[in-house]
Each structure stands twice: as structure tokens, then as C-alpha cells.
Amino acid sequence: MNERIAVVTGAAGGIGSATARCLARAGTAVALVDIEAESVTGLAAEITAAGGRALPVRCDVTDPVQVKAMVRTVAREFGGPHILVNNAGILSDSELHLMSRADWDAVHAVHLRGAFLCARAVYRHMARGRWGRILNLSSVSSLGAAGQANYAAAKAGVEGMTRALAVELGPLGITVNAVAPGFIETPLPQGAGGSEGAGGAWSAAAAETAPVRRAGRPEDVAATLAFLAGDEASYITGQTIHVDGGLPLGRLSLDGCGVEN
Ligand code: NAI
């Protein structure tokens, strides 16, 4: 089988770097895309030293010019791309009365506009070979979370866009799915709730209430993304796969009903 080429955005972060490592171990060449140029250069060196192929590309996914240039660079240096993981993300949490228009716009720009721009820039390359995988990161927060009106709306939008693109691109041989993590131990949720470090309390609460009784690891999400990126997942499209240890279900606790859990 010919080598596949993946673009992973937000590759300097927790889930992005784990996903890039996982894909590279499976023989996929990975373009490591992030605004943090130094971190992706280090990760590329690590993957290359382990025998994989990796290309660091500095790119702000909210900027259409940079996104176009990034995809051109990947196509020129590596070929493809065949796989896109729209993973770049930020939080700007606050209660509604404190949430500024800038908080709203910044979160939507990275999660929604960024995913749209990257999908639009890669899909023709995928359609040419009639094989492609677009994977979008949603979140358990799309169900609704206090202080996250901007983030919950953006992630619900990502799920809607996933379904629309699945319908549109399926006939071209491209599947489009979303993965919705619960609480995953990475730098991102440390700023949840609007204050640095609040994520620590969330992590402990998530580990206590999730049926699997632990917080998630970046590798939990990476393994799911890698499966969806592979040939075995060719009949799955337009779906949101929840990788959350059952976290939302844990809220329906049977405490007080005489059931030990
Ligand atoms: P992280 O903070 O560890 O990594 C995010 C990466 O995105 C960073 O390297 C950052 O530099 C990059 N980034 C931010 N803005 C960018 C831009 N404009 N252009 C290019 N790169 C940009 O975050 P984490 O936890 O790895 O999250 C990855 C994805 O998973 C995000 O979409 C997030 O919303 C989602 N997610 C994470 C959860 C968690 O508990 N960690 C839970 C649910 C969803």
C-alpha cells in the first residue's frame, strides 16, 4: 500500500502530538501544523529519529492564506494529503455576562473557521485519489457546559459541519467524522472555567464521576482518530464518536438508590 500523508493541526498540543505519534507509528507521514513552530520542530525530530516521516509547518488555521500555503507545502514535500485531523483548539471561558465578542470570535475562528478552511484546502487532493479522511475534534462540551457558550456552540457547529461534509464528500471517496473527547489531561483544560488551574479540579471531578473512574489520556483519543483514519473505518461517516469514559452518563448517578457504584 502507498504511504498515506496526514495533516494534523494543533500538533504541538496534547491530543495533536499523541495523534501524530500514533499515525507515524502506523507508517503514515505526518505534517505537524501549529502556530507553535518550535514545538512542532522538536516533535518532527522525535518522529524522524524513531524512523517515521514528519514535516513541521507553522500555520495559523484561522488565516485562509496561511492554510492554502500550508497545504501546498505538504503536497509539494510529501504528496497527498489523504488524512486531515482538525484538532487545533483554544478556550476562552467565562460566564455570559463577562464573555466579550472577542472571546466569542476567537474560539469560533479556531474551531469552526479553522476546520472549514483546512477541509476546503485539502479535499480536492483527496478527491483526486478517491480516498480521504477528514476528522474533526468536537467535545463533550457540545452538550452544554457553564462558562463555555462560545466553545459549546463552536463544537456543536463542528458536529453539524461534519455531517454536512460527510453527505457532500462521501461520493468522492472521503469520509468525515468527529471525535468528541471528555476530560483529557492536556494543557488545554487547565484554563477551563476561565481561570488557570481550574482544570485540576475538573480533572479530579471527571475521574471521580466517569464510569471508568479516570481522566482521559491523549492516547485514548489518538487511537480512535487513528482507527477512523484507516481503511477499516471506510463504512463510518457523518458520525461523532465519544471518547469520554462515559463521563456524561456518570452524571446520571444512582447514588442514594441503593446501588453501589
Ligand atoms: P492543547 O492546548 O494541548 O493543544 C491545542 C493546540 O492547538 C496547541 O498546540 C495550540 O498551539 C494549537 N493552536 C491553537 N490555535 C491555533 C491556530 N490558530 N492555528 C494553529 N494551531 C493552533 O489542546 P488539546 O487538549 O490537545 O485539544 C485538542 C483538541 O481537542 C481541541 O480541538 C480541543 O477543543 C479538543 N478537546 C480537548 C479536550 C480536553 O479535555 N483536552 C476535551 C474535548 C475536546
Side-chain angles (χ1 to χ4, degrees):
M1 190 171 61
N2 290 334
E3 181 186 51
R4 296 231 163 98
I5 317 298
V7 169
V8 179
T9 73
I15 293 171
S17 58
T19 302
R21 286 188 186 98
C22 189
L23 290 171
R25 272 198 303 274
T28 303
V30 280
L32 309 170
V33 174
D34 207 290
I35 41 174
E36 296 289 339
E38 230 172 85
S39 311
V40 281
T41 302
L43 180 60
E46 177 201 312
I47 289 174
T48 307
R53 289 222 301 151
L55 176 73
V57 187
R58 195 205 168 275
C59 169
D60 179 344
V61 297
T62 68
D63 179 348
V65 175
Q66 292 189 36
V67 168
K68 258 189 174 172
M70 174 273 286
V71 173
R72 256 201 316 271
T73 303
V74 176
R76 190 185 59 235
E77 299 289 321
F78 271 4
H82 311 102
I83 299 162
L84 167 66
V85 184
N86 276 316
N87 166 80
I90 58 167
L91 288 181
S92 195
D93 288 6
S94 65
E95 290 170 57
L96 182 59
H97 68 287
L98 296 172
M99 189 174 283
S100 66
R101 183 181 156 176
D103 292 326
W104 179 268
D105 287 348
V107 166
H108 278 246
V110 178
H111 294 278
L112 259 183
R113 193 205 303 160
F116 154 68
L117 290 175
C118 290
R120 194 180 62 174
V122 298
Y123 90 91
R124 279 195 193 88
H125 296 270
M126 298 174 174
R128 218 171 284 140
R130 296 198 75 74
W131 195 97
R133 299 281 185 266
I134 297 177
L135 300 165
N136 301 319
L137 269 290
S138 180
S139 169
V140 68
S141 295
S142 69
L143 300 172
Q148 296 194 322
N150 51 359
Y151 185 69
K155 290 304 198 187
V158 162
E159 293 188 15
M161 185 173 68
T162 298
R163 289 188 288 273
L165 292 183
V167 175
E168 203 174 314
L169 303 181
L172 304 177
I174 302 166
T175 64
V176 188
N177 289 291
V179 169
F183 193 100
I184 310 297
E185 285 179 325
T186 72
L188 184 100
Q190 291 311 311
S195 61
E196 205 53 38
W202 279 31
S203 173
E208 210 171 287
T209 51
V212 301
R213 293 293 189 270
R214 66 170 175 86
R217 303 178 190 112
E219 292 74 20
D220 294 320
V221 183
T224 307
L225 288 164
F227 167 69
L228 291 170
D231 286 313
E232 293 81 1
S234 63
Y235 207 55
I236 303 172
T237 197
Q239 305 302 308
T240 297
I241 311 294
H242 296 261
V243 182
D244 58 16
L247 189 60
L249 310 174
R251 289 180 189 160
L252 304 172
S253 158
L254 291 175
D255 279 352
C257 298
V259 176
E260 289 202 11
N261 63 349

